[in-house]
Amino acid sequence: MMILSAFLPAALGFSLSQQSAYRTHTPRSSRAVVEASASGDVILIGVAADSGCGKSTFMRRLTGIFGGTNVGPLGGGFDSGGWETNTLVSDTTTVICLDDYHLNDRQGRKVTKRTALDLAENNFDLMYEQLLALKSGETIMKPIYNHVNGTLDTPEEIKPTPIVIVEGLHPMADERVRDLLDFSLYLDITDDVKFAWKIQRDMIERGHSLESIQASIEARKPDFDAFVAPQREFADVVIQVLPTQLIPDDKEGKILRVRFIQRDGKENYDPVYLFDEGSTIEWTPCGKKLTCSYPGIKFAYGPDEFLGNEVTVLELDGKFDNLQELIYVESHLSNTATKFYGELTQQMIKMGDSPGSDNGTGFFQTLASLKIREFYETLSGVTVEAETPKVAA
Amino acid sequence: MMILSAFLPAALGFSLSQQSAYRTHTPRSSRAVVEASASGDVILIGVAADSGCGKSTFMRRLTGIFGGTNVGPLGGGFDSGGWETNTLVSDTTTVICLDDYHLNDRQGRKVTKRTALDLAENNFDLMYEQLLALKSGETIMKPIYNHVNGTLDTPEEIKPTPIVIVEGLHPMADERVRDLLDFSLYLDITDDVKFAWKIQRDMIERGHSLESIQASIEARKPDFDAFVAPQREFADVVIQVLPTQLIPDDKEGKILRVRFIQRDGKENYDPVYLFDEGSTIEWTPCGKKLTCSYPGIKFAYGPDEFLGNEVTVLELDGKFDNLQELIYVESHLSNTATKFYGELTQQMIKMGDSPGSDNGTGFFQTLASLKIREFYETLSGVTVEAETPKVAA
């Protein structure tokens, strides 16, 4: 019954009044969540991001650090080039793409005239029921949204693993789902950077006009701002990507300033810090002992406020040129949750060809992965084995 | 003969062409200096400052840290309220005021129409000869400039002690004297701060007019800039006092930004640093662990250039409100040359009633004293005993 509800043809006007889900209180389900969470069967991690599901770099960084064998799409599919699943699994971890909870297929959205960003186009009732079931150790039959055809395909069986990661546009939008999450993270690419990246790809590489790029960004922005961005307020960690401040008026978007915004008071989480916990610091490591090429690297650290929350922010502006810089920086941070000296650097090197491996996006995604591993270990009492060091630091 | 020359009535036109002493080279005396210095009999420290001699706070901080007993004016004088000597002595340290090498008395300067700031009004030949003699372990008969009467009094006998500190307007102005110094320090009160202080004292407390204060500052400035300020270039350490940057457009001069400018490459001297040697750092310790009242404290650290020299700068803007702040700051600095945890803080507390004990001027004067003690120990092989800790930190 629960599973079938995903396939009800959701007609225009079939409203779940999802817009009002933000900040509403439903004490009964809240309490149920705490019980499920306390059972410790499954630890649920939410990752909000405005990007494709499943194969994102961050997911590979995260699953890489959690180790586990047989990482791949559920059922070992994909090879045919067709679309079989959005789900990634290993023996410890399941990554579910929340696009699978779209209420309507692409055709259906043409009728409703809503984008998939709209809360009303996502089946949060089902999402909540199924994630609650998974957390309670039950197997579910999860719908599949086919990104190629835009259709809702035959559901797939998902068995609970110790770690379940839900990635997508709305992991924190619905209060019930949000309360199920043990840890939540938001990847926040700011508009300026999105614009610079799109210019780079669509204008310079694909020959689109500036006007068409601007139009496509503007078209998406209202729904994104209304339905996705507000989740930042609820995230335990926000990785915020901004233009560099090292180069005045930089428009290229190649050098980035990335902020690792850690919400204060999160249980079982000790914020990463630089030199002196709780103080405010700016640090340019490039100098007499470490030399870097222009424009170098600059860190900032300190308490701040973010969308009404007290937070602790670690910030990295710039770009790494070599291993020496990376290990130097790692060695000056505290509470990084590494299992050996240089683990953060090693993970960065392992993913060296992936986007962001030479800047704060990769650095903080890796750091977040380490912190989430630590958080998982604390909560579950299970020890995740780290990969053998391969870097002589 | 040497001594008598100090008392020759120096008539107008009796020129020692001291202005050209800056940056001129006299290889023969240079070589002689190195030999005297290498003998290690006496370590000579120069302190340049635009203030009265003998009883300055810095001198008390310095002699306090060097310990020694029977600290006081030479011969135990002063009690009558008259002027007997500018020289302070203990069993280890002699502090000589370089005003004693004024070429003419006050009456004589009325004839020459030069200020005491003018190099031509100072007998560098005699200064050099006598300091060289002291460094070689010889007793000298040093002239005395009487600050009360403005007269040149009967010379006094100065015996060499292990540490001789020469304080005054021109310890680094003459190349021969400069080369005699094992360590040199310049206390640099910038014009803005001098002005704010003078306003505070002469206008608010003494009822002088703004115009008269400005006039008195302007009158002194050309000679100061020509004859005193250029010595900053030669100092091993400059303590530079600037207006705060914590309060926008502060005019009071009560909160100060003080820079501890350490010249690179000084032998037997390891620069004090904050957190990460050789990098560039800004640190606001007031935050989650340490709370401070407005406007708080801010440190900066990093490599810089100062008057053409490569330097390492430690900077403190703000004001300490309590012991906790002081010890917290001390505990995060490295290479402070303290002999036990909290010694810097203890020295600050001991001098708590003296000017600058709650800000960077006192902090860096104390730090300089500790560094000079360390420098002395390295050079001489002698260990200076620290006072017993009295502060439970």
Side-chain angles (χ1 to χ4, degrees):
Chain A
M1 177 63 192
M2 187 200 296
I3 294 146
L4 279 178
S5 67
F7 301 94
L8 288 171
L12 189 71
F14 179 93
S15 169
L16 292 166
S17 60
Q18 301 288 10
Q19 278 91 337
S20 64
Y22 279 113
R23 300 175 145 286
T24 62
H25 293 279
T26 51
R28 209 162 59 103
S29 24
S30 250
R31 238 173 272 128
V33 167
V34 173
E35 284 160 26
S37 170
S39 76
D41 290 337
V42 169
I43 286 175
L44 191 64
I45 295 160
V47 178
D50 181 19
S51 63
C53 271
K55 286 166 292 175
S56 77
T57 308
F58 176 56
M59 283 303 126
R60 288 198 293 129
R61 293 188 197 278
L62 188 58
T63 51
I65 279 171
F66 269 99
T69 47
N70 302 319
V71 183
L74 186 64
F78 278 162
D79 292 341
S80 63
W83 197 276
E84 292 174 20
T85 181
N86 298 312
T87 308
L88 280 173
V89 289
S90 74
D91 50 357
T92 58
T93 309
T94 304
V95 182
I96 292 173
C97 175
L98 294 180
D99 288 354
D100 289 336
Y101 293 98
H102 284 342
L103 190 66
N104 298 300
D105 58 16
R106 200 173 290 155
Q107 207 54 42
R109 286 198 300 273
K110 285 187 181 161
V111 180
T112 65
K113 293 190 166 50
R114 292 185 298 232
T115 72
L117 296 163
D118 196 318
L119 297 188
E121 282 296 330
N122 292 275
N123 189 342
F124 288 110
D125 289 344
L126 181 65
M127 193 191 290
Y128 168 64
E129 284 163 13
Q130 293 204 337
L131 294 182
L132 178 59
L134 266 185
K135 272 199 75 116
S136 313
E138 296 166 25
T139 295
I140 59 166
M141 289 301 288
K142 182 188 60 57
I144 299 176
Y145 178 77
N146 185 321
H147 284 91
V148 177
N149 307 324
T151 55
L152 288 160
D153 293 353
T154 314
E156 62 188 355
E157 186 184 79
I158 306 285
K159 290 178 183 160
T161 50
I163 303 146
V164 172
I165 300 166
V166 293
E167 185 206 10
L169 291 166
H170 306 109
M172 290 160 266
D174 181 86
E175 191 193 19
R176 298 162 302 168
V177 174
R178 190 163 73 229
D179 287 344
L180 282 180
L181 301 176
D182 295 295
F183 196 94
S184 58
L185 194 138
Y186 188 106
L187 298 181
D188 182 20
I189 317 294
T190 57
D191 291 343
D192 285 346
V193 173
K194 273 185 197 168
F195 188 70
W197 284 356
K198 231 174 151 54
I199 290 282
Q200 182 65 30
R201 196 189 59 185
D202 292 351
M203 193 164 95
I204 296 168
E205 291 168 20
R206 298 182 187 173
H208 296 191
S209 74
L210 186 64
E211 291 70 30
S212 74
I213 294 164
Q214 260 165 336
S216 85
I217 286 176
E218 292 303 321
R220 192 176 165 77
K221 193 169 153 51
D223 275 7
F224 188 84
D225 289 351
F227 303 119
V228 178
Q231 295 174 100
R232 294 180 303 171
E233 181 189 337
F234 304 110
D236 296 319
V237 167
V238 174
I239 296 178
Q240 189 176 49
V241 184
L242 300 144
T244 184
Q245 291 180 336
L246 299 178
I247 304 169
D249 300 318
D250 178 63
K251 294 278 180 248
E252 277 198 295
K254 284 185 179 165
I255 311 286
L256 299 169
R257 180 166 76 101
V258 186
R259 301 178 82 214
F260 189 71
I261 303 169
Q262 308 164 91
R263 193 172 176 174
D264 286 351
K266 173 73 178 172
E267 272 183 49
N268 299 309
Y269 184 91
D270 297 318
V272 184
Y273 71 88
L274 184 63
F275 298 126
D276 176 34
E277 193 168 17
S279 73
T280 298
I281 288 178
E282 285 185 22
W283 177 46
T284 305
C286 314
K288 288 183 183 176
K289 283 204 301 194
L290 181 74
T291 53
C292 315
S293 70
Y294 180 84
I297 301 165
K298 186 172 179 181
F299 271 85
Y301 164 76
D304 203 349
E305 209 185 274
F306 184 71
L307 302 173
N309 298 320
E310 300 281 303
V311 296
T312 297
V313 180
L314 182 64
E315 177 183 310
L316 166 54
D317 196 348
K319 178 167 139 340
F320 301 114
D321 282 318
N322 59 56
L323 170 63
Q324 195 203 1
E325 294 168 22
L326 209 51
I327 190 76
Y328 191 82
V329 159
E330 177 180 351
S331 69
H332 286 81
L333 295 172
S334 299
N335 282 351
T336 53
T338 53
K339 285 179 180 281
F340 55 87
Y341 179 79
E343 187 182 10
L344 206 165
T345 300
Q346 181 190 306
Q347 288 292 334
M348 291 281 283
I349 291 165
K350 206 176 74 177
M351 298 276 288
D353 294 332
S354 300
S357 290
D358 64 349
N359 68 33
T361 62
F363 193 76
F364 287 137
Q365 284 173 10
T366 307
L367 190 55
S369 304
L370 292 168
K371 293 301 284 181
I372 290 173
R373 181 181 69 186
E374 179 188 58
F375 179 84
Y376 166 73
E377 288 185 329
T378 307
L379 220 65
S380 67
V382 173
T383 300
V384 178
E385 199 142 337
E387 283 185 70
T388 320
K390 282 166 195 156
V391 180
Chain B
M1 176 63 193
M2 186 201 295
I3 294 144
L4 279 178
S5 66
F7 301 94
L8 289 171
L12 190 69
F14 180 93
S15 170
L16 293 167
S17 60
Q18 301 288 11
Q19 278 91 337
S20 64
Y22 278 112
R23 301 176 146 285
T24 61
H25 294 279
T26 49
R28 211 163 58 104
S29 24
S30 251
R31 236 174 272 131
V33 166
V34 172
E35 284 160 26
S37 171
S39 78
D41 291 334
V42 169
I43 286 175
L44 190 65
I45 295 160
V47 179
D50 181 19
S51 62
C53 271
K55 285 167 291 175
S56 78
T57 308
F58 177 58
M59 283 304 124
R60 287 198 292 129
R61 293 188 197 280
L62 189 58
T63 50
I65 279 171
F66 269 100
T69 48
N70 302 317
V71 183
L74 185 64
F78 278 162
D79 292 342
S80 63
W83 196 275
E84 292 173 22
T85 181
N86 298 311
T87 308
L88 280 172
V89 288
S90 76
D91 50 357
T92 59
T93 310
T94 304
V95 183
I96 293 172
C97 175
L98 294 180
D99 289 355
D100 289 335
Y101 292 98
H102 283 342
L103 190 66
N104 298 300
D105 59 16
R106 201 172 289 157
Q107 208 54 42
R109 286 197 299 273
K110 285 186 179 160
V111 180
T112 64
K113 293 190 165 52
R114 291 186 296 232
T115 72
L117 297 162
D118 196 316
L119 297 188
E121 282 296 329
N122 293 275
N123 189 343
F124 289 108
D125 289 343
L126 181 64
M127 192 191 290
Y128 168 64
E129 283 163 17
Q130 293 205 336
L131 294 182
L132 178 60
L134 266 185
K135 271 199 74 117
S136 312
E138 295 165 26
T139 296
I140 59 166
M141 288 301 287
K142 184 187 60 55
I144 298 176
Y145 178 78
N146 185 323
H147 284 91
V148 177
N149 307 324
T151 54
L152 288 161
D153 293 354
T154 314
E156 63 188 356
E157 185 185 80
I158 306 285
K159 289 178 185 159
T161 49
I163 303 147
V164 173
I165 300 167
V166 293
E167 186 205 11
L169 292 167
H170 305 109
M172 290 161 266
D174 181 85
E175 191 194 20
R176 298 162 302 168
V177 175
R178 189 163 74 228
D179 287 343
L180 282 180
L181 301 175
D182 296 295
F183 196 93
S184 58
L185 195 138
Y186 188 107
L187 299 180
D188 182 20
I189 318 294
T190 57
D191 290 343
D192 285 347
V193 173
K194 273 185 196 167
F195 188 71
W197 285 354
K198 230 174 151 56
I199 291 282
Q200 182 64 30
R201 195 190 60 187
D202 292 351
M203 193 164 96
I204 298 169
E205 291 168 19
R206 299 182 185 172
H208 296 189
S209 74
L210 185 63
E211 291 69 30
S212 74
I213 293 164
Q214 260 164 337
S216 84
I217 286 175
E218 292 302 322
R220 192 175 165 76
K221 193 169 152 51
D223 275 5
F224 189 83
D225 289 350
F227 303 117
V228 179
Q231 294 173 100
R232 295 179 302 171
E233 181 189 337
F234 304 108
D236 296 319
V237 167
V238 174
I239 297 178
Q240 188 177 47
V241 184
L242 299 144
T244 184
Q245 291 181 335
L246 298 177
I247 304 167
D249 299 317
D250 178 65
K251 294 276 179 250
E252 278 198 293
K254 284 186 181 165
I255 312 286
L256 299 170
R257 179 166 76 100
V258 187
R259 301 177 83 214
F260 189 71
I261 303 170
Q262 307 164 91
R263 193 172 175 174
D264 287 351
K266 173 72 178 173
E267 271 181 52
N268 300 308
Y269 184 91
D270 297 319
V272 184
Y273 71 87
L274 184 63
F275 297 126
D276 177 34
E277 192 168 16
S279 72
T280 298
I281 288 179
E282 286 185 24
W283 176 45
T284 305
C286 314
K288 288 182 181 176
K289 283 203 302 194
L290 180 75
T291 54
C292 315
S293 71
Y294 180 83
I297 302 165
K298 185 172 180 181
F299 271 85
Y301 163 76
D304 203 349
E305 208 185 275
F306 183 71
L307 303 174
N309 298 320
E310 300 281 305
V311 296
T312 297
V313 180
L314 182 65
E315 177 183 312
L316 167 54
D317 196 350
K319 178 168 140 338
F320 302 113
D321 283 318
N322 58 56
L323 170 64
Q324 195 202 1
E325 294 168 22
L326 208 50
I327 189 77
Y328 191 81
V329 159
E330 176 181 352
S331 69
H332 286 81
L333 294 172
S334 300
N335 283 351
T336 53
T338 54
K339 286 179 179 280
F340 55 87
Y341 179 80
E343 187 183 10
L344 205 165
T345 300
Q346 181 189 306
Q347 288 292 334
M348 291 281 283
I349 292 165
K350 206 177 72 177
M351 297 277 288
D353 294 333
S354 300
S357 290
D358 64 349
N359 67 34
T361 62
F363 194 75
F364 288 136
Q365 284 173 11
T366 308
L367 190 57
S369 303
L370 293 167
K371 292 301 285 182
I372 290 172
R373 181 182 68 187
E374 180 187 57
F375 178 85
Y376 166 73
E377 288 184 329
T378 308
L379 219 65
S380 68
V382 173
T383 301
V384 178
E385 200 142 338
E387 282 186 73
T388 320
K390 281 164 194 158
V391 179

